[in-house]
Amino acid sequence: MSATGRRYASAAGALALVVAFAWLVAQQPLWERALSAIFPGSANPVYPGVTLADLVVRHLAIVGFSSGLTMLVGIPLGVWVTRPSGADFREVVAAAVDFGQTFPPIAVLALMVPILGFGLGPAIVALFLYGLFPVVSNTVAGIEGVPRTLVDAARGMGMGRARILLTLEVPLAARVIMAGVRTSVVINIGTATVAAAVGAGGLGDPIIRGINVQNFAYVLQGATAAALLAVVADSLLAVTERLLTPRGLEA
Amino acid sequence: MIRLTEVTKRYGETLAVDRISLEVPTGEVSVLIGPSGCGKTTTLRMINRLIEPTSGLIEIDGEDVMSVSPEELRRRIGYVIQSVGLFPHLTVAENIATVPRLLGWKRERIASRVRELLAVVGLEPAEYAEKYPRQLSGGQAQRVGVARALAADPPVLLMDEPFGAVDPLTRERLQAAFERIQREVRKTVVLVTHDVDEAIRLGDRIALMRTGRLEQYDAPEALLDHPASKFVHDFVGADRALKRLGRVRVADVMRTDVVMTADGTRKIDVAACSGGRFVYLVDDDGVLEGWVDCRVLAAGTPAEEAGTRVDWREAAATPDTTLKDALSQMLGLGFRDLAVVDDRGRLLGEVSLRAIEQTMSGSDAHVSNLAEGEVLGAPADTGEGEVE
């Protein structure tokens, strides 16, 4: 199969996975039957009040906002510290994003509540900080992985710094940057379940409620959906990574 | 014309380049050479302002390079580097189009220029335009590098060890290609190398540098015959008679009145030799396939047995081959005559050891004032004995 053919095939595969997942979360009766089979003693095995589809949508909103913010801030930040103007801040930024990931998100949530109140706000701040590290460090690694001789050749031909960044460094670093985004998003989908603790909702809701009321069917329902969502997102981002890889670099 | 006047580059306490003054006449090749750290690359990179000089004046066609923006300046100067620096995510055509795009050329004009340049550097446009750099060999990549540097037809070309990263055979071919291209385009070229033979072969003038200073700036013959200092003398090396052969091409001394046949060995007899030393065997397109030795034939051996079959890629020179390389090839093969073919293997003539010897003795007259201790073999025995 040609390189183009392989690209389309993997994109089609990932899209099929997305459709299958969407269909599965919409099958409320199916989940009821499955969960009653696993937990025969439970009177109400399915998380009540909200459909699974709504929980997934809510979860995606939390992840989308926080990861979007992570990319919006993380990629430019990573690029900036590789520029002469930001080079002095490189160590500081590296330490800060490292700290952002080592600091437990649940603690960030707790600390944010007095400032931002309950709900979406503290969740997004905590997840944003938590996901920054892989994006920033991969952006730096990707840009610095571009051979200096290429940049030298580009300068020698009269390309300006901005043009070199946009037409040479970023395209060549795209694959590595996307790998960082992918890691960040997949981690985020799992970690976002914690956000339910401050009332942000999402797939963490049935998990936390399940723990509180000792109904492990709820826990299983939320955890299964979150895990499947992570798998689907991972394959979708893997395809994106591949599509962003310049043809000339494909093996 | 490129003119450097008292150009100096200082890094803290260190003088990388110390008051260099030199002129590169329009259409000529000047080679900067010297030991590592002599400042040759720094000097080159100051011309297109990849490095800013500390003091001094650099002019291109009378214009101070500091009077234009670095980007604008560099778009007017072709730049070739050792590592080639082709952009791996762009095709060959897109790589060559880099500067024309920066200059805002129209799409059709770029496309035709790309085709033209690929042909100039000896790559079939239809085959190579859409390839990616990783699909090219080292020699092909450097050809594309040269095409890219020539894309916007800049009057000036800067080359930083352009043939340094390839094997000797490829280097020889690239040098020959460069000479051919330079004869066509007549750019004002500054080329950095650490290879004396390359400098002698390609340079109209050679600037020999040492610890940031210019030791001598002269034509290769003058550098060989009248070294300005012991350093120059030692740097050029003791085999200057041989090095001088690097200035002469096979085309200058080859015979073209050779006997050839496309009929195979069947009809060859002593009469067919018509006094020549060999009858060359070629195919219908004139591509060299071998030869029959007339002396062996005269001794009564049938033509089929007196014949030698060869691959022209290995046992022939081209008109652009230097006599030094041709001599080395003869010694390696044990031949006293070497067939000369074009780049497709078509027989053009032959070059003999005798012709090379005559070249050496011809230039011998003006080499008597060499530095002390120089041992120059008598022209006749230089060929076989002392070399390599």
Side-chain angles (χ1 to χ4, degrees), chain A residues 61-80:
Chain A
I62 300 167
V63 170
F65 270 118
S66 55
S67 281
L69 204 57
T70 300
M71 282 186 269
L72 224 54
V73 173
I75 296 174
L77 195 62
V79 169
W80 178 59

Side-chain angles (χ1 to χ4, degrees), chain B residues 298-319:
Chain B
T301 314
E304 298 84 60
E305 289 169 37
T308 308
R309 294 273 167 183
V310 294
D311 181 349
W312 61 269
R313 288 171 195 82
E314 282 156 21
T318 67

Side-chain angles (χ1 to χ4, degrees), chain A residues 149-161 163 167-168 171-172 246-251, chain B residues 45 48-50 70-71 74-75 77 79 81 83-89 98-99 102 132 134 148:
Chain A
T149 52
L150 294 185
V151 177
D152 185 58
R155 284 185 63 211
M157 285 189 289
M159 288 168 72
R161 291 198 179 282
R163 195 186 290 266
T167 65
L168 183 68
L172 291 181
R247 303 234 150 156
L249 299 185
E250 275 184 349
Chain B
R45 290 165 68 90
N48 67 357
R49 291 181 62 187
L50 285 172
E71 280 78 24
R74 290 173 195 147
R75 289 171 198 179
I77 300 177
Y79 184 51
I81 57 178
S83 55
V84 190
L86 293 184
F87 303 144
H89 60 306
T98 306
V99 177
L102 290 174
Y132 284 102
R134 69 182 156 83
R148 184 172 70 171

Side-chain angles (χ1 to χ4, degrees), chain B residues 271-336:
Chain B
C273 290
S274 58
R277 175 70 208 281
F278 297 100
V279 175
Y280 286 96
L281 308 171
V282 295
D283 69 9
D284 291 340
D285 296 322
V287 174
L288 178 71
E289 293 186 318
W291 52 78
V292 173
D293 188 329
C294 290
R295 284 192 208 167
V296 181
L297 208 59
T301 314
E304 298 84 60
E305 289 169 37
T308 308
R309 294 273 167 183
V310 294
D311 181 349
W312 61 269
R313 288 171 195 82
E314 282 156 21
T318 67
D320 287 328
T321 307
T322 66
L323 290 194
K324 181 172 188 287
D325 290 339
L327 179 60
S328 160
Q329 209 174 352
M330 283 181 187
L331 295 172
L333 295 163
F335 294 169
R336 296 184 69 88

Side-chain angles (χ1 to χ4, degrees), chain A:
Chain A
M1 200 187 288
S2 71
T4 313
R6 279 197 298 275
R7 281 174 178 231
Y8 287 131
S10 58
L15 282 178
L17 219 54
V18 171
V19 173
F21 176 75
W23 176 83
L24 190 65
V25 296
Q27 306 307 307
Q28 198 76 6
L30 191 71
W31 286 83
E32 262 185 66
R33 258 183 285 149
L35 289 166
S36 339
I38 299 169
F39 298 96
S42 174
N44 40 357
V46 172
Y47 186 63
V50 194
T51 64
L52 186 60
D54 286 343
L55 289 172
V56 167
V57 168
R58 176 71 174 181
H59 199 81
L60 277 175
I62 300 167
V63 170
F65 270 118
S66 55
S67 281
L69 204 57
T70 300
M71 282 186 269
L72 224 54
V73 173
I75 296 174
L77 195 62
V79 169
W80 178 59
V81 298
T82 63
R83 302 295 97 184
S85 62
D88 292 345
F89 297 89
R90 199 180 148 165
E91 299 307 315
V92 181
V93 168
V97 297
D98 195 17
F99 184 72
Q101 198 184 30
T102 41
F103 205 83
I106 189 88
V108 179
L109 285 175
L111 290 172
M112 283 298 139
V113 169
I115 304 166
L116 297 170
F118 280 88
L120 221 47
I124 284 170
V125 170
L127 294 170
F128 156 70
L129 291 174
Y130 192 62
L132 218 43
F133 178 77
V135 173
V136 173
S137 63
N138 275 45
T139 302
V140 173
I143 299 272
E144 294 197 331
V146 176
R148 290 298 95 187
T149 52
L150 294 185
V151 177
D152 185 58
R155 284 185 63 211
M157 285 189 289
M159 288 168 72
R161 291 198 179 282
R163 195 186 290 266
I164 292 174
L165 178 68
L166 294 177
T167 65
L168 183 68
E169 294 177 295
V170 167
L172 291 181
R175 178 163 48 175
V176 179
I177 296 174
M178 266 314 292
V181 167
R182 183 175 157 193
T183 308
S184 176
V185 170
V186 171
I187 292 174
N188 193 348
I189 289 171
T191 312
T193 53
V194 176
V198 290
L203 291 167
D205 263 359
I207 296 175
I208 286 171
R209 173 76 75 82
I211 294 168
N212 286 342
V213 303
Q214 301 273 305
N215 185 335
F216 294 107
Y218 294 176
V219 178
L220 185 68
Q221 185 189 4
T224 307
L228 287 176
L229 182 61
V231 169
V232 172
D234 187 49
S235 73
L236 200 61
L237 289 166
V239 168
T240 314
E241 201 178 308
R242 197 162 176 180
L243 292 178
L244 284 176
T245 302
R247 303 234 150 156
L249 299 185
E250 275 184 349

